[in-house]
Amino acid sequence: MSDAEPEHTEPTDSAVATDQPPAPQPEPARRQDWWQRHYTFTGTAVALLFLWLSLTPSLLPRGPLFQGLVSGVAGAIGYGLGVFAVWVVQFMLSRENSPHAPRWAWPALIAVGLIGQAFAIYWFHIWQDQVRDLMGVPRLQWFNYPQAATIGLIVLFAFIEIGQLVGKLVKLLVRRLNHYAPPRVSAVVVVVILVSLTIALLNGVVVRGGMSFLNSTFASVNDEMDPDNPAPTTPLRSGGPGSLVSWDTVGHQGRVFVAGGPTVEQLTKFNGTPAVEPIRAYAGKNSADGIKAAAALAARELERAGGFQRKVIAVATTTGTGWINEAEASALEYMYNGDTAIVSMQYSFLPSWLSFLVDKENARQAGQALFEAVDARLREMPEAQRPKIVVFGESLGSFGGEAPFLSPNNIIARTDGALFSGPTFNNTMWDDVTVNRDDGSPMWLPIYDEGQNIRFSARPDNLARPEKPWGYPRIVYLQHASDPIAWWNPNLLFSEPDWLREPRGSDVSPDMYWVPIVTFLQVSADMAVAVDVPDGHGHRYVRDVVNAWAAILQPPGWTPEKTDRLRGIVTDPE
């Protein structure tokens, strides 16, 4: 039928597609710069912050090497914390990747970093001058600042690159494990396995092998004989005629101690009356088999030399290598015109800081065994004929020197006095007294029990603090507010110490503040240079030991004038 309506048909898909505008094509991904591909924005920002904080003042002056090390390690830790924070957020949100920083963020961070670094170096210069003036040491030269910056950058990037390699290893292992476990489980398993293997490797191979190497190395140093320091010719010194201890087993530091001290002529000249030769008894680590045997040998050697007939017996606990502060020993001998006997022993070949980490228990056992061996012989004597008995030690030696007593009441009951200089945070009795100090007294210079028996001193005039009667026996702790050995503590990582929260000592910068992690790193680095400062600061205790011994024992006929004279005579422990 010609008039019929035309047949209606639906438009095809192709027709519809033709009528619509073409779909927009996705833009090609912007290729990131090398820096953005290799480093994270958050990690870099936190690294900069930690780097700047590491330039703030610490307890002691820092040379360019240690400042560079501290800054580099602090920056690397900051970078690691920044990366870890991003990873935690990414992990919790179950995301494959975290969003990249906007294009403008990196130039802004670089600009802020350059400006911030300029300000940080400027203030570092101000703070270093301030600390160095407090200590009386020369200021840094201008070229030391770029030296510190260069070392810091090298250390920083070295640690970051190591971290990048570890990160790549973790990602590789996680991808492999994803075939058998969910991604989250894979990540946790890989991290736990790697951490466990690292700890096992360090404990089983690195630590044991390293300690074996260090022991053999320092043992060789300990055994070296100095032709300029021959065996004594007097029977009053260990290694001399009739001695129970052979000269070659006394050890390097033992030989230095036994051969040292004032002569009879020097003592006579100082005191104006005929002196007697002081007794120094010493047993080296190689002198006997074990700590208790060495302690027993040292006590017998003291008895052989006639030490129990002297006015004062001093039991000295050494540091790791067997070192004794010569100032503490010789001051005592001057005060009693030689009528003294000092007994000690060696328990390790390692330097003090290494002994503190791995031989700490040996120091405790040595201090306890030696005092008990001497005390046992002393108590066999009639009470009226017994000499005074005192104990002393510095640093790790103070830790071991406290060991026989554990509490203030015990040391008061069993000795006639004690001198402990530069104590460590692990000193049991020191910690007890410091924690339980009288209200209002600062941690760096506490008052305990109104100063009845125990007093703390950073300067000689502190011995008169508080203005209360000082009974007997007397125990003195010498500790400087700027001594990192006394204030280093793992708690510094995440807890502000009282010695920074309370009014601080005169040789501590007023601009030093606690910063989590960073302050721990700073004080740790300070420990390495603790004795590289003048006497009266850091871990240097020389002339003030004279005032301490005079106050502790108050020798017959001793005068303040003699104290001043002796301060100019006692030798530097170096």
Side-chain angles (χ1 to χ4, degrees):
M1 188 167 60
S2 60
D3 294 331
E5 293 181 358
E7 186 178 353
H8 178 74
T9 59
E10 295 291 334
T12 63
D13 290 342
S14 59
V16 173
T18 304
D19 294 339
Q20 298 293 330
Q25 297 296 320
E27 294 183 7
R30 176 175 60 85
R31 181 172 176 79
Q32 295 177 314
D33 296 331
W34 174 85
W35 183 273
Q36 293 172 285
R37 295 196 309 273
H38 204 63
Y39 302 106
T40 69
F41 180 83
T42 304
T44 304
V46 180
L48 279 174
L49 176 61
F50 271 58
L51 190 66
W52 297 336
L53 291 173
S54 72
L55 296 170
T56 57
S58 186
L59 289 172
L60 299 177
R62 306 180 208 151
L65 173 60
F66 280 100
Q67 181 56 56
L69 290 173
V70 171
S71 295
V73 172
I77 290 175
Y79 185 88
L81 290 175
V83 171
F84 180 73
V86 172
W87 179 83
V88 168
V89 173
Q90 178 183 320
F91 183 81
M92 298 300 294
L93 296 177
S94 300
R95 291 180 177 175
E96 285 284 334
N97 296 296
S98 57
H100 296 292
R103 193 178 189 91
W104 53 266
W106 278 105
L109 180 62
I110 292 172
V112 170
L114 291 174
I115 296 172
Q117 189 64 21
F119 275 100
I121 291 175
Y122 170 76
W123 281 107
F124 172 66
H125 163 71
I126 299 295
W127 288 323
Q128 274 294 294
D129 286 351
Q130 179 190 71
V131 174
R132 287 173 177 274
D133 291 345
L134 287 173
M135 302 286 172
V137 298
R139 296 183 175 185
L140 290 176
Q141 301 294 321
W142 67 268
F143 54 83
N144 292 137
Y145 297 100
Q147 283 178 341
T150 302
I151 294 170
L153 288 174
I154 292 173
V155 173
L156 169 61
F157 283 104
F159 274 103
I160 290 178
E161 291 303 319
I162 293 172
Q164 297 275 14
L165 293 175
V166 173
K168 290 178 181 178
L169 176 61
V170 170
K171 290 179 181 178
L172 174 63
L173 294 176
V174 168
R175 283 198 301 268
R176 296 294 179 86
L177 199 58
N178 281 344
H179 297 298
Y180 309 98
R184 288 192 177 191
V185 175
S186 299
V188 172
V189 169
V190 167
V191 171
V192 169
I193 290 175
L194 285 178
V195 170
S196 301
L197 286 175
T198 301
I199 293 174
L201 177 66
L202 289 175
N203 284 336
V205 179
V206 177
V207 171
R208 289 182 185 175
M211 290 311 302
S212 176
F213 171 76
L214 289 172
N215 261 310
S216 61
T217 300
F218 288 110
S220 299
V221 174
N222 180 76
D223 294 338
E224 288 180 359
M225 301 293 291
D226 184 358
D228 295 328
N229 189 12
T233 57
T234 169
L236 301 181
R237 302 289 171 111
S238 292
S243 175
L244 304 177
V245 180
S246 62
W247 186 241
D248 60 334
T249 66
V250 172
H252 173 70
Q253 290 294 348
R255 287 187 285 272
V256 171
F257 167 70
V258 169
T263 64
V264 172
E265 292 75 17
Q266 290 172 323
L267 293 171
T268 300
K269 180 180 178 181
F270 179 86
N271 288 291
T273 57
V276 295
E277 183 176 1
I279 293 173
R280 292 193 175 190
Y282 193 98
K285 185 173 170 59
N286 293 329
S287 301
D289 186 15
I291 288 176
K292 288 187 177 180
L297 176 61
R300 294 199 307 272
E301 174 72 359
L302 175 69
E303 188 173 26
R304 177 205 64 80
F308 290 92
Q309 282 69 55
R310 295 301 176 96
K311 286 184 180 179
V312 177
I313 292 176
V315 181
T317 305
T318 69
T319 61
T321 56
W323 178 85
I324 293 174
N325 185 338
E326 179 57 41
E328 294 180 348
S330 59
L332 192 61
E333 293 167 340
Y334 270 105
M335 289 181 182
Y336 283 86
N337 208 21
D339 199 3
T340 59
I342 302 176
V343 59
S344 190
M345 61 175 283
Q346 179 189 23
Y347 53 84
S348 174
F349 298 133
L350 302 176
S352 186
W353 66 274
L354 263 178
S355 293
F356 181 75
L357 295 175
V358 300
D359 267 353
K360 189 166 51 183
E361 185 58 31
N362 286 343
R364 187 194 305 275
Q365 292 180 14
Q368 186 166 2
L370 182 60
F371 181 83
E372 297 296 348
V374 174
D375 188 58
R377 282 168 170 73
L378 193 66
R379 293 189 180 279
E380 293 174 355
M381 301 173 61
E383 188 171 353
Q385 298 177 14
R386 296 174 190 171
K388 292 179 181 292
I389 183 169
V390 296
V391 294
F392 71 92
E394 180 174 315
S395 194
L396 192 57
S398 73
F399 169 79
E402 283 187 358
F405 313 106
L406 299 180
S407 71
N409 289 338
N410 195 274
I411 194 172
I412 290 168
R414 300 185 66 189
T415 73
D416 294 287
L419 172 59
F420 299 126
S421 51
T424 74
F425 81 97
N426 260 330
N427 284 38
T428 305
M429 194 168 66
W430 174 86
D431 182 65
D432 177 33
V433 171
T434 301
V435 169
N436 295 295
R437 64 189 182 274
D438 295 353
D439 292 339
S441 62
M443 180 180 181
W444 68 272
L445 195 64
I447 296 174
Y448 175 76
D449 195 22
E450 296 186 329
Q452 185 171 353
N453 292 98
I454 301 176
R455 297 201 174 185
F456 290 77
S457 174
R459 298 191 309 266
D461 58 332
N462 296 145
L463 293 167
R465 176 181 169 273
E467 295 180 357
K468 298 272 187 175
W470 192 0
Y472 292 94
R474 296 177 173 183
I475 293 92
V476 170
Y477 283 95
L478 293 180
Q479 61 183 40
H480 301 142
S482 57
D483 186 355
I485 305 297
W487 311 124
W488 184 91
N489 191 315
N491 293 338
L492 279 175
L493 280 166
F494 305 110
S495 177
E496 183 179 9
D498 287 347
W499 54 270
L500 279 177
R501 186 186 302 112
E502 299 166 341
R504 57 196 62 184
S506 60
D507 60 349
V508 176
S509 169
D511 294 320
M512 180 181 180
Y513 297 98
W514 176 76
V515 180
I517 300 175
V518 174
T519 300
F520 174 81
L521 291 175
Q522 290 176 322
V523 177
S524 298
D526 287 339
M527 290 173 68
V529 292
V531 297
D532 297 336
V533 289
D535 180 31
H537 304 285
H539 198 60
R540 292 286 296 277
Y541 301 91
V542 186
R543 294 172 179 82
D544 289 351
V545 304
V546 177
N547 302 77
W549 274 133
I552 292 167
L553 289 170
Q554 293 192 314
W558 194 257
T559 64
E561 183 271 335
K562 282 189 173 183
T563 296
D564 292 338
R565 284 173 53 208
L566 186 54
R567 282 178 60 89
I569 293 175
V570 290
T571 58
D572 193 300
E574 288 188 346

